[in-house]
Amino acid sequence: KNQVEQSPQSLIILEGKNCTLQCNYTVSPFSNLRWYKQDTGRGPVSLTIMTFSENTKSNGRYTATLDADTKQSSLHITASQLSDSASYICVVSAPYSGGGADGLTFGKGTHLIIQP
Amino acid sequence: KAGVTQTPRYLIKTRGQQVTLSCSPISGHRSVSWYQQTPGQGLQFLFEYFSETQRNKGNFPGRFSGRQFSNSRSEMNVSTLELGDSALYLCASSLPQSREQYFGPGTRLTVT
């Protein structure tokens, strides 16, 4: 069964500090992996998307890494800001031919709180 | 380009009632997916519609149903509401053959 496990479930850090969120998956075969940021009460917004051949991808202060051999990904946030407080969701896609939600497996997310 | 819109944003219903939620996808997006999100379970896939046809369905009871119109707008209906149906219901749209999902702001449903 395809699964996506995220850790930690929740994390509290001080403003300005760095943090790393983890995503381990069992989806196989694998097409791509996305990280979403979801503010409280809002819909998720895509941060990065990584394919099998990519190891690192950055989006401002967000850097995602992918190790397809060990089926692990991480999202590193540098110099955290209060606006980074949100849930971060890892989503892994299998290479099915359909679009939309076909072949997607969602993690339960990491709830990140940035304290001033 | 306008994003995915969902109406209403907040809803309070009583156990046993039914509810209809609406989703308007991004212009040009023909795939619409619905998700239920609760604190303990994360995002749970309900169903997906493409060109007015249900393409995929998650593991939810028959009380949850949906439909899509010719303009790609979609509705989902929940009948005989239960307390456990209280959740954030998210709609996402995507282009054909793309799994890049664009989410709406959600509808917060509270069942009392």
Side-chain angles (χ1 to χ4, degrees):
Chain A
K1 181 184 174 183
N2 290 334
Q3 287 186 313
V4 175
E5 300 287 342
Q6 292 188 243
S7 62
Q9 282 189 329
S10 60
L11 182 62
I12 301 174
I13 64 171
L14 293 175
E15 185 180 11
K17 298 296 186 181
N18 303 334
C19 67
T20 300
L21 314 180
Q22 296 290 342
C23 172
N24 296 339
Y25 61 93
T26 62
V27 178
S28 184
F30 161 86
S31 176
N32 60 61
L33 182 149
R34 288 183 179 84
W35 283 94
Y36 284 90
K37 177 187 178 189
Q38 183 177 21
D39 293 317
T40 302
R42 307 302 300 269
V45 174
S46 180
L47 287 175
T48 66
I49 175 173
M50 303 183 71
T51 60
F52 181 87
S53 59
E54 295 175 303
N55 300 119
T56 303
K57 184 168 279 190
S58 292
N59 178 0
R61 296 180 296 101
Y62 300 99
T63 300
T65 65
L66 174 65
D67 185 335
D69 292 330
T70 62
K71 295 185 171 55
Q72 295 180 326
S73 176
S74 65
L75 181 69
H76 186 76
I77 303 174
T78 303
S80 61
Q81 299 177 359
L82 297 178
S83 59
D84 293 330
S85 293
S87 288
Y88 292 83
I89 302 170
C90 174
V91 183
V92 181
S93 298
Y96 297 143
S97 58
D102 195 12
L104 297 181
T105 305
F106 288 79
K108 292 185 178 182
T110 292
H111 186 53
L112 176 64
I113 298 174
I114 310 298
Q115 287 186 338
Chain B
K1 197 180 256 191
V4 177
T5 58
Q6 292 186 245
T7 57
R9 291 294 312 279
Y10 302 92
L11 205 49
I12 299 175
K13 289 286 188 179
T14 303
R15 204 167 33 172
Q17 288 185 313
Q18 76 165 21
V19 67
T20 299
L21 311 181
S22 181
C23 170
S24 292
I26 292 172
S27 178
H29 288 197
R30 292 163 57 193
S31 170
V32 174
S33 301
W34 288 90
Y35 298 87
Q36 181 194 67
Q37 187 177 37
T38 57
Q41 294 298 318
L43 277 161
Q44 304 271 294
F45 172 69
L46 280 157
F47 30 65
E48 178 192 6
Y49 286 87
F50 178 78
S51 292
E52 302 178 65
T53 301
Q54 188 179 86
R55 183 159 66 175
N56 290 300
K57 189 177 189 305
N59 190 25
F60 276 81
R63 300 185 296 108
F64 292 81
S65 63
R67 59 177 175 169
Q68 187 179 34
F69 301 95
S70 59
N71 61 357
S72 294
R73 189 178 70 86
S74 177
E75 289 181 347
M76 69 162 280
N77 184 277
V78 187
S79 62
T80 319
L81 284 166
E82 301 176 359
L83 295 178
D85 297 333
S86 294
L88 181 67
Y89 289 88
L90 291 162
C91 159
S93 73
S94 59
L95 287 165
Q97 300 304 316
S98 169
R99 282 195 290 276
E100 176 74 55
Q101 299 228 299
Y102 296 82
F103 286 87
T107 293
R108 171 73 62 185
L109 172 64
T110 302
V111 182
T112 62

